[in-house]
Amino acid sequence: MATIAVFSTRPHDELFLRGADPDERHELRFFETALQPDTAVLAVGADVVVPFVNDDLSSETIDRLADAGVRGVALRCAGFNHVDLERARERGLVVARVPEYSPYAVAEHCVGLILSLNRRIHRAHARVRDANFTLGGLLGFDLHGTTVGVVGTGRIGTCFARIMRGFGCSVLAHDPVESDECRSLGVDYVALDELFRRADIVALHCPLTPATHHLVDAAAIATMKPGVMLINTSRGGLVDTAAVIDGLKSGRLGHVGLDVYEEEAGVFFEDLSDRVVADDDLMRLLTFPNVLITSHQAFFTREALTAIAQTTMENADAIAEGRPPVAPVE
Ligand code: NAD
């Protein structure tokens, strides 16, 4: 039996994680608070911590977890850009993640953003609720025949490319590791600058690393087609927010769909509706009629949560018993 401390818990986390431990083999301790240096003390007595995407796993937190006797970290997400892996290694903490759950969940959400932005479905919905049945300002374009640029053709990017091929789009891709599966779908691999130059829709599906930080910056936006649609369901840091705001103001960016945001920690997943939000860039983005933001919900399907909980429990189980986890972060 392992003691597992789950941070940033929302009701669905408890539901699915308990569902993945039907025989109640483990002691699950759920904390609503995020994991950060001053909350790491809650992990005292736990074998494993289970943090989420916006928890703070800096060296300070890692030190406090190690001092508390925690053996490892079982992230219940795919990305691990928020973990100081070197410090974890130094302190002997095993780190595991959920590399694969439902690529369909994220790819389909990406398509949802594209369709909503193109056909202004979010604006039409607000309008008809106010008994305004006019069409002005709702003009879209056929996706059929457009060129979609996919940056990163891993699990999610490949799934997304397949869907867009189904719409009758031409798909360009850029990835240092080219996929035969994508080629067989009729995807053409090109250099990143060519993708930016030719795509009507640019969708980001690569991880956030030092090499991909601000992959979409002012220089990249300047090379894109006027009126291009930019979709980021990957990680906020891939995009320079200030450059995106400038691109929207100049009209170079015709539509922007974001499920992730560089400064989302402490904002996304929270109800701030009765507070003053201090992030001026985020509030500016929300004023554009051609921007659609969702709160890091692309992963949020029943199938994905079931798979995330399953792998997380398997990782936690293994770490607690001193076995290699099923999906270590190396
Ligand atoms: P994956 O590891 O299967 O694929 C990532 C691909 O990106 C790989 O093919 C890799 O070669 C490629 N890549 C790496 N560096 C690149 C670069 N410089 N340019 C272009 N491609 C590059 O990962 P995945 O499961 O497809 O997930 C992709 C990303 O989606 C994750 O890193 C994560 O940040 C994000 N994600 C978001 C959500 C959400 O809810 N919004 C959920 C899951 C994953």
Side-chain angles (χ1 to χ4, degrees):
M1 173 163 168
T3 301
I4 299 169
V6 182
F7 286 85
S8 297
T9 306
R10 297 295 174 270
H12 57 266
D13 295 307
E14 182 161 355
L15 186 72
F16 282 87
L17 285 166
R18 285 206 189 282
D21 184 29
D23 302 328
E24 298 184 19
R25 291 181 50 231
H26 303 301
E27 181 186 337
L28 292 165
R29 297 179 183 171
F30 291 98
F31 301 106
E32 270 183 45
T33 183
L35 176 59
Q36 52 198 36
D38 63 351
T39 59
V41 66
L42 294 168
V44 169
D47 302 297
V48 183
V49 293
V50 173
F52 195 41
V53 279
N54 291 327
D55 287 322
D56 173 345
L57 286 138
S58 58
S59 57
E60 206 181 337
T61 309
I62 297 283
D63 281 343
R64 294 192 186 188
L65 293 175
D67 292 343
V70 170
R71 305 176 73 160
V73 176
L75 298 164
R76 58 181 195 281
C77 57
F80 51 89
N81 49 283
H82 55 314
V83 185
D84 189 329
L85 291 175
E86 204 177 319
R87 194 68 178 156
R89 209 173 299 120
E90 284 165 8
R91 295 301 312 262
L93 282 192
V94 180
V95 181
R97 65 181 182 127
V98 185
E100 187 173 6
Y101 37 98
S102 167
Y104 309 106
V106 182
E108 288 170 11
H109 189 77
C110 184
V111 177
L113 290 175
I114 292 171
L115 290 169
S116 300
L117 279 165
N118 175 22
R119 307 304 296 269
R120 279 75 162 168
I121 293 169
H122 53 306
R123 303 191 68 207
H125 177 63
R127 193 181 285 191
V128 295
R129 282 172 63 114
D130 199 28
N132 176 352
F133 300 102
T134 61
L135 298 183
L138 302 182
L139 190 65
F141 56 87
D142 285 3
L143 281 176
H144 182 94
T146 58
T147 299
V148 176
V150 186
V151 182
T153 51
R155 298 173 191 90
I156 295 168
T158 299
C159 185
F160 172 72
R162 183 179 294 108
I163 298 172
M164 298 320 287
R165 290 291 291 149
F167 273 100
C169 301
S170 300
V171 178
L172 304 175
H174 175 74
D175 193 314
V177 184
E178 300 186 4
S179 129
D180 288 340
E181 191 181 346
C182 268
R183 274 210 211 82
S184 73
L185 293 168
V187 171
D188 282 333
Y189 280 95
V190 295
L192 189 61
D193 56 345
E194 184 178 344
L195 183 150
F196 286 156
R197 224 174 36 246
R198 289 176 52 196
D200 301 298
I201 298 170
V202 173
L204 306 179
H205 295 293
C206 59
L208 177 61
T209 64
T212 60
H213 181 253
H214 286 186
L215 183 100
V216 175
D217 58 8
I221 291 170
T223 66
M224 292 181 190
K225 277 189 174 177
V228 64
M229 182 187 290
L230 172 68
I231 307 285
N232 186 9
T233 58
S234 209
R235 280 293 178 268
L238 294 174
V239 165
D240 178 346
T241 307
V244 165
I245 291 171
D246 286 344
L248 283 159
K249 283 161 78 175
S250 72
R252 171 71 64 170
L253 296 176
H255 304 271
V256 174
L258 304 174
D259 185 54
V260 287
Y261 172 62
E262 210 170 355
E263 303 297 332
E264 68 179 54
V267 178
F268 282 15
F269 310 129
E270 305 297 334
D271 179 2
L272 305 180
S273 56
D274 63 351
R275 304 218 208 134
V276 172
V277 177
D279 186 328
D280 289 346
D281 283 347
L282 178 60
M283 298 321 275
R284 181 68 178 101
L285 280 172
L286 289 170
T287 67
F288 292 100
N290 49 352
V291 171
L292 182 51
I293 298 179
T294 52
S295 182
H296 208 138
Q297 72 172 79
F299 73 100
F300 201 54
T301 66
R302 266 192 301 276
E303 292 74 10
L305 290 189
T306 304
I308 289 169
Q310 188 64 40
T311 306
T312 301
M313 292 304 285
E314 286 172 13
N315 278 331
D317 220 7
I319 293 170
E321 289 179 5
R323 289 182 284 113
V326 289
V329 178
E330 272 148 0

